[in-house]
């Protein structure tokens, strides 16, 4: 007869799953990721974080970091890229995503403003530039929809 391992050895691997999930959320395997609905973000100095937005790039749907830009002493843009959906690299189908990666620099609070453009109809040059002064777009309070709007994020770095 073959003896079974003690219960503590059989359950040990199960304890690793929650630990790995917790570490993933801490940014151990990459920066913490936030969406358009996450308007208040808290990070530590030196920590990277990512804003991940839905985009249909070939359809003129996309995001641009606009003025006022975040205080560079508090938060800095590290990089930006686009991830195209299943429809191919040049199609930019509905399931495309834009990523903006930032790093918390020093303790403080930074305000970031993004322009969400739909069908290249932002009132500017059609590629994410802000509309001319005198025209106004609303500041969004919900998830991205079918109208252009500004999205404001507050980042606290400790």
């Amino acid at each position: 007869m073959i003896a079974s391992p003690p219960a503590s050895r059989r359950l040990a691997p199960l304890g690793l799953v929650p630990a790995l999930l917790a570490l993933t959320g801490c940014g151990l395997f990459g920066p913490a990721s936030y969406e358009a609905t996450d308007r208040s973000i808290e990070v530590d100095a030196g920590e990277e974080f990512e804003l991940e937005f839905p985009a249909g790039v070939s359809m003129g749907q996309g995001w641009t970091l606009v003025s006022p830009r975040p205080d560079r002493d508090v938060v800095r843009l590290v990089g930006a890229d686009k991830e195209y959906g299943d429809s191919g690299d040049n199609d930019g189908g509905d399931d495309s995503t834009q990523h903006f990666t930032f790093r918390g620099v020093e303790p403080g609070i930074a305000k970031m403003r993004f322009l969400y453009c739909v069908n290249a109809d932002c009132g500017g040059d059609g590629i994410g530039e802000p509309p001319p002064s005198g025209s106004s777009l609303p500041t969004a309070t919900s998830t991205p929809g079918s109208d252009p709007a500004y999205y404001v994020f507050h980042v606290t770095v400790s």
Side-chain angles (χ1 to χ4, degrees):
M1 177 173 182
I2 299 176
S4 295
S8 61
R9 288 184 70 198
R10 286 192 310 255
L11 297 177
L14 294 176
L16 292 176
V17 173
L20 286 175
L21 290 174
L23 290 175
T24 301
C26 294
L28 183 65
F29 299 111
S33 185
Y34 300 92
E35 299 176 353
T37 55
D38 300 319
R39 305 293 169 74
S40 291
I41 299 168
E42 295 182 19
V43 298
D44 292 328
E47 180 181 354
E48 287 190 1
F49 64 97
E50 177 181 88
L51 291 174
E52 183 177 299
F53 301 130
V57 179
S58 70
M59 300 180 312
Q61 177 187 19
W63 299 79
T64 303
L65 179 63
V66 295
S67 294
R69 294 193 177 229
D71 181 347
R72 289 183 47 81
D73 290 336
V74 179
V75 173
R76 288 199 186 141
L77 179 65
V78 175
D81 66 355
K82 297 175 181 114
E83 180 182 316
Y84 296 97
D86 294 335
S87 56
D89 284 350
N90 295 322
D91 260 355
D94 290 340
D95 55 349
S96 296
T97 307
Q98 279 184 265
H99 303 267
F100 295 86
T101 305
F102 295 89
R103 176 178 295 119
V105 179
E106 294 180 13
I109 298 174
K111 178 178 169 182
M112 298 190 296
R113 192 166 80 139
F114 283 84
L115 175 62
Y116 172 63
C117 186
V118 181
N119 296 323
D121 184 22
C122 290
D125 66 5
I127 56 172
E129 287 299 315
S133 60
S135 63
S136 64
L137 290 175
T139 297
T141 58
S142 62
T143 59
S146 58
D147 296 316
Y150 288 107
Y151 285 74
V152 178
F153 299 83
H154 297 275
V155 181
T156 302
V157 178
S158 52

